[in-house]
Amino acid sequence: SQVDGISEQTQNALLDKRLEEAAGIVGYCAGAGVGILPYSHPDYPYRLRMLKDPPVLLYVRGRLPRMDRLVCIAVVGTRRMSEYGRESAYRIAYELGAAGAVVVSGLALGIDGVAACGALSARGKTVAVLGSGIDIIYPREHKKLMQLISENGAVVTEYAPGTPPAGEHFPVRNRIISGMCQGTLVVEADIKSGAMITARTAHEQGRQVFAIPGNLGEENTGGTNQLIRDGAIVVIETEDILREYEYLYGKSIDTAKLAAARKKYRYSSEVFSQMGVSARLAPGRP
């Protein structure tokens, strides 16, 4: 029967649906212990719900923290990091995790993986957002890290199982990284880095952008220094981030644990191999 306002061609297109693929995905997720969090679910993050282009659903491996009640900070940066960038990412993420904030990243080589490692080392919560299906380990070097994140937080994606990590997926993925969070910290990035796309997306979403300053004239700090010039909040210590949220989220921030974690803080490249993080420095970068 014809429906008013809809042409016969459109009606036929709407009726020509097959659910075999959807049923297969549901079956796979049930067997693999992967949760499916649709937009309508009460645990779907409120901040994502507010985006103009929210994911229809999230595939979740692990347990998504109560994002809406916590300070959530995206920590992103270049794959071609220096030792300065590596230690800065690790230390800030470690202290954020110790203070009770959720560190969100993209599981990428470089700054993203190091940030996740820092949060895990502090026994904090961390979330990784993939640009592929939940069953695809990418990059392959981060297989162990992906497992650790799912045991102490969550690995999430909007892409169906089996979706390959195609290049065009990552800029789309970045809106989830920044959209889940109140703020995005760019640790080290050149002007054309993917982290700069995340920062721009965060700004467009009305989120705060933070950046760690670096030496003038160096390729890896061209992006972060540009962000600071254009209004990003300068981060010299973790409190530069946390104080932005103490009024609304003060109860979720534990300054005593942060102080205790600082006393225990140790930095060694061994922690990266222990957690399966590929933390190689870029050639020629001290």
Side-chain angles (χ1 to χ4, degrees):
S1 61
Q2 187 69 28
V3 178
D4 290 341
I6 298 179
S7 69
E8 185 175 355
Q9 184 180 4
T10 302
Q11 184 175 328
N12 290 337
L14 289 169
L15 291 171
D16 185 25
K17 301 297 179 192
R18 290 175 177 78
L19 298 178
E20 290 88 345
E21 184 180 358
I25 290 172
V26 170
Y28 166 79
C29 290
V34 173
I36 300 177
L37 203 60
Y39 178 90
S40 57
H41 196 282
D43 291 340
Y44 185 98
Y46 177 78
R47 290 184 206 107
L48 283 186
R49 206 186 291 269
M50 294 297 101
L51 300 185
K52 64 180 181 181
D53 51 356
V56 174
L57 56 79
L58 294 173
Y59 297 94
V60 182
R61 190 182 293 280
R63 188 178 182 88
L64 200 62
R66 302 297 293 272
M67 309 289 280
D68 302 330
R69 298 183 181 183
L70 301 170
V71 175
C72 302
I73 302 296
V75 181
V76 297
T78 181
R79 289 168 170 78
R80 294 174 53 78
M81 62 188 170
S82 68
E83 174 57 26
Y84 168 75
R86 184 167 74 171
E87 182 168 6
S88 297
Y90 181 84
R91 178 174 60 84
I92 296 289
Y94 176 92
E95 294 183 356
L96 285 171
V102 180
V103 173
V104 180
S105 66
L107 200 73
L109 300 175
I111 296 295
D112 287 45
V114 167
C117 182
L120 289 169
S121 297
R123 301 192 176 183
K125 298 291 185 187
T126 185
V127 174
V129 187
L130 306 182
S132 63
I134 199 82
D135 57 330
I136 307 292
I137 298 166
Y138 183 82
R140 290 201 168 276
E141 296 96 319
H142 282 171
K143 179 179 180 180
K144 182 178 180 181
L145 177 62
M146 186 173 167
Q147 180 63 34
L148 287 171
I149 293 172
S150 67
E151 291 170 1
N152 296 275
V155 177
V156 305
T157 181
E158 68 179 321
Y159 292 107
T163 305
E168 64 267 22
H169 293 168
F170 293 95
V172 177
R173 176 276 308 267
N174 290 351
R175 82 189 194 290
I176 301 177
I177 294 177
S178 58
M180 279 185 161
C181 301
Q182 291 102 325
T184 291
L185 169 66
V186 183
V187 174
E188 190 176 43
D190 63 59
I191 291 171
K192 295 182 179 179
S193 169
M196 296 293 284
I197 298 174
T198 310
R200 187 165 63 246
T201 305
H203 180 72
E204 291 168 355
Q205 292 168 338
R207 312 295 201 255
Q208 284 170 307
V209 177
F210 302 89
I212 293 179
N215 293 337
L216 298 180
E218 288 191 9
E219 181 185 351
N220 256 23
T221 58
T224 46
N225 288 342
Q226 184 184 86
L227 289 172
I228 291 167
R229 184 196 67 195
D230 294 343
I233 298 170
V234 176
V235 173
I236 297 170
E237 59 180 0
T238 305
E239 282 82 353
D240 294 328
I241 300 171
L242 294 176
R243 76 168 59 95
E244 296 293 319
Y245 308 107
E246 60 189 1
Y247 179 71
L248 288 176
Y249 297 91
K251 290 182 180 178
S252 73
I253 299 169
D254 194 326
T255 52
K257 282 189 177 177
L258 172 57
R262 275 208 175 112
K263 289 180 180 177
K264 293 191 296 183
Y265 177 77
R266 297 287 182 275
Y267 174 75
S268 166
S269 58
E270 290 174 11
V271 70
F272 302 125
S273 57
Q274 289 167 2
M275 293 198 178
V277 177
S278 179
R280 295 188 303 273
L281 302 178
R285 296 208 185 279

